[in-house]
Amino acid sequence: MTRHYSAVSLLKEGLNAQRGWRPAWRSPEPKPRYDAVIIGGGGQGLATAYYLAKSHGLRSVAVVERGWLGGGNTGRNTAAIRSNYFYPESTALYDLSLSLYERLGRELNYNIMLSQRGMMQIVSSPGEMEMAARMVNAMQVNGVQAELLDRAEVKRRVPIFNFGDDARYPVHGAIWQARAGIARHDAVAWGYARAADRLGVDIIQQCEVQAFLVEGGRCVGVTTSKGEIRAGRVGMAVAGNSGALAAKAGFRLPITSYTLQACVSEPVKPIFDTVLVSPMTGTYVSQSDKGEIVIGGGLDRVPSYGQRGNLPQLETVLSGLLEMFPVFRQLRLLRQWGGTVDVTPDSSPIFGESPLPGLFINGGWGTGGFKGIPAGGTVFAHILATGSHHEVSRPFDLSRFRSGYMIDEAAGAGIAH
Amino acid sequence: MQLFTCPFCGPRAETEFHFGGDAGNLRPGGDSETNVWTDYLYFRSNLRGRAREIWMHLACREVFVMERDTVTHEVHATEALAETAAGEHRP
């Protein structure tokens, strides 16, 4: 029986007609009771379960997932990982995430295909260039390496960008984060699932949470399509469905669900070796290892749980792409899809105990949940294990909306929504 | 492209409309508690399924109520604010 993934295992199984491989995780029936139950089998939920078992020693943990693992936003994003944020609180969270990503493949014994190809944020006017310098300075003060590139350097690195005199948004420079990059998003979910399973976590798919069990004003478990599951603590990490689940628990959240769509072209030869975003067009783009041009942009303007994009926004995103890269005019689109993202008023996530005691939230990531998976899982596991905040998650408590201590990255880092 | 029906202008493209939040989210009085203000300013029903929402038609600048399914995107009804139940909205 082969469980460890390595070149030796490949050779051994090759000689053994591949008969020794085992499923990467079990599919157990739910037990009546766990120390912790996590709702949502996406990257955030699976990472939380993994760190609960690994860092906090919990041996009785379950993840319940309505659909299939990584079938929500974990499998629908454009796979970018970065930590180019403005506020120290955000940097602490997202840079923790990036640092964990840098050693995640080895830790999980799973190839997440992390490629730190750098991320370039195009700057299109002299005024913006000053704000870009402020941003780079802020990142450096917060301990994250960043550079301000001039036009010539951008042209050297991305010669196919539109440097013509007729460019609607001329290039004045760019913000560069060299450690940013992309990873295989499904692999992140699968890697965490496999590692969590090996530590004894029960991963229960096609198990929908229908209601919360409340006794004495505390959440003590969930009622699911596979029966009642009681738990010492319940955590929810359900991204775009946070609002719908909160309604079942009897409270509201500072979250509105929108569609974020993305698309990929047919595979083409390597032409573009970084991740690039232009705040002016709102379009961001990278090229996958397979050769597809991966394209994303801003939110659809209509709040939705539909998991499918609308055409006007796709047109906006693609016009932005063609404005930046006239050479992509010949590309043909292969696929287009949408995910439901949970957008908060300050574009920062929410962690902590919900208004229903015993039920804890990891949500409100909006468009940035994938890059935050390792850090989100780390701090949420700490919260579920101890019942109190991790030092990194404390500023992201739900109470910030009452106190007014927002972490406004829409204004700070210029997030597109 | 989806069509929404402005109660004043008729069916128009979705790009002409702007989402304005939950219908019935009344502005509290100036002397209200912080919790009431927090709830009004930031917390949302964010319903999955049938929802009553405030929308603005950017072309005529009128705000109105749209009843809509947030999963299927089916529009059930749109109505001018003056026609909704008294006290549901303060313009």
Side-chain angles (χ1 to χ4, degrees), chain A residues 3 16 52 55 69 73 85 92 112 163 180 194 219 236 272 318 329-330 373 385:
Chain A
R3 299 191 76 178
N16 187 32
L52 268 174
S55 310
L69 297 188
N73 295 347
Y85 284 77
I112 62 163
F163 290 94
R194 173 170 167 271
C219 179
M236 56 184 261
F272 177 59
L318 292 177
R329 211 166 289 273
Q330 301 165 59
I373 284 173

Side-chain angles (χ1 to χ4, degrees), chain A residues 66 240-244 247 252-259 301-308 310-312 315 345 355 398 401-403 406, chain B residues 1-2 4 14-19 22 25 33-35 38-49 53 55 58 68 70-73:
Chain A
R66 184 176 64 178
N241 279 306
S242 296
R252 305 199 304 166
L253 289 168
I255 284 176
T256 304
S257 293
Y258 285 92
T259 300
R301 298 173 68 252
V302 181
S304 170
Y305 282 90
Q307 288 192 310
R308 63 184 190 281
N310 67 4
L311 285 172
E315 188 177 8
L398 199 52
F401 296 97
R402 184 176 190 278
S403 64
M406 305 284 179
Chain B
M1 180 81 73
Q2 189 174 12
F4 293 154
E14 63 180 282
T15 48
E16 291 188 13
F17 295 84
H18 183 73
F19 175 63
D22 298 332
N25 187 25
E33 294 286 319
T34 307
N35 281 341
T38 306
D39 201 54
Y40 163 75
L41 286 171
Y42 301 118
F43 284 67
R44 300 289 173 256
S45 299
N46 196 24
L47 294 173
R48 185 188 166 97
E53 301 167 334
W55 284 77
L58 297 171
R68 182 178 78 88
T70 58
V71 180
T72 65
H73 296 180

